Amino acid sequence: EEAPGHTARFLRLYALYLAGERRKDDQTLEESASLADSCPAHVANQQLKPIDAELRGLHERDALDGYALYLYAIVLKQLQRPAHAVDLLCAALHKEPTLWAAWLELAAACADRDAIARLALPEHWMKHFFYAHVCLELQQNSEAVTLYEGLATEFPASTYILAQLATAHYQLREFDEAQVRFEELLRADPYRLDNIDTYSNILYVSMLS
């Protein structure tokens, strides 16, 4: 039975989506084991179409909040409807501009800066984090450094920004500067595990030089 409210709907449908993903993974493993050397058939999340059907009707009535629009976009992406998924992600961000998961999905859906420029994004400070992330993903590292340094003046205690800056310097092969940034990061967050593989590579290169 459906519980009322946006939050309850999102949790119910997202739980169904995750259950479908779990079953898909289990079925893929089962088929891989049974087929041995043969290529297993494509296994789909069986919850995608029911979720699509429910959210489509609500979307047509403009009854979805930002989180439901985000979930709907994920579903449509897996149903091979990427253009509609991108539109829904933009709509989700207009309603929930701090929903970072939607920004990340949007970044993954855009292959170049031209695709980013065509997006109808909300005017919000989160957009600057998005642009910096996209630059780093597209290996436009000098621009990423500039953007993250600007963000660091607004969020000086952010270990996320510091880690992204260190990664950008690493990708620019500026290993000394990257090492300084990583050491600063570890002083601020000594139990951090994220990005430690990159720091390890820097230390290895430093030993060889």
Side-chain angles (χ1 to χ4, degrees):
E1 182 179 352
E2 181 179 356
H6 291 297
T7 302
R9 180 192 298 124
F10 171 78
L11 291 174
R12 176 176 59 82
L13 293 177
Y14 192 57
L16 285 175
Y17 169 77
L18 291 178
E21 288 293 287
R22 175 64 181 271
R23 179 56 190 147
K24 180 182 73 173
D25 292 343
D26 290 345
Q27 192 173 348
T28 299
L29 287 174
E30 291 167 4
E31 293 194 6
S32 297
S34 63
L35 292 174
D37 295 333
S38 302
C39 293
H42 174 71
V43 179
N45 182 336
Q46 297 301 314
Q47 298 296 335
L48 295 178
K49 290 184 178 179
I51 296 172
D52 174 27
E54 180 171 342
L55 292 179
R56 187 189 318 120
L58 292 166
H59 181 50
E60 289 170 354
R61 301 198 302 272
D62 194 25
L64 296 181
D65 69 345
Y67 286 87
L69 287 167
Y70 161 69
L71 175 58
Y72 194 15
I74 293 175
V75 168
L76 292 188
K77 177 183 175 182
Q78 290 207 27
L79 290 173
Q80 306 303 315
R81 292 153 65 186
H84 194 183
V86 166
D87 290 341
L88 288 172
L89 287 169
C90 290
L93 289 169
H94 277 274
K95 292 193 174 187
E96 294 287 347
T98 58
L99 181 52
W100 184 236
W103 289 107
L104 292 178
E105 285 289 339
L106 201 55
C110 298
D112 52 42
R113 293 293 294 273
D114 290 338
I116 299 296
R118 291 192 294 269
L119 298 175
L121 299 175
E123 289 301 323
H124 192 274
W125 54 265
M126 282 293 291
K127 185 165 68 172
H128 302 295
F129 280 89
F130 171 70
Y131 284 146
H133 172 80
V134 168
C135 286
L136 200 58
E137 291 297 301
L138 296 178
Q139 297 291 317
Q140 296 172 350
N141 298 299
S142 295
E143 187 170 353
V145 167
T146 300
L147 291 171
Y148 279 122
E149 285 179 342
L151 288 168
T153 64
E154 300 294 329
F155 303 91
S158 172
T159 55
Y160 167 78
I161 293 174
L162 191 53
Q164 295 296 89
L165 268 171
T167 302
H169 284 295
Y170 171 74
Q171 292 180 175
L172 285 166
R173 303 186 67 80
E174 297 172 350
F175 298 128
D176 290 342
E177 181 63 25
Q179 183 173 345
V180 169
R181 298 284 188 172
F182 272 116
E183 288 170 353
E184 184 181 350
L185 176 63
L186 289 174
R187 284 194 297 272
D189 187 3
Y191 301 107
R192 183 186 184 91
L193 295 178
D194 291 343
N195 313 106
I196 290 301
D197 55 336
T198 303
Y199 181 47
S200 175
N201 289 339
I202 292 170
L203 294 179
Y204 178 72
V205 170
S206 299
M207 289 174 58
L208 294 180
S209 60

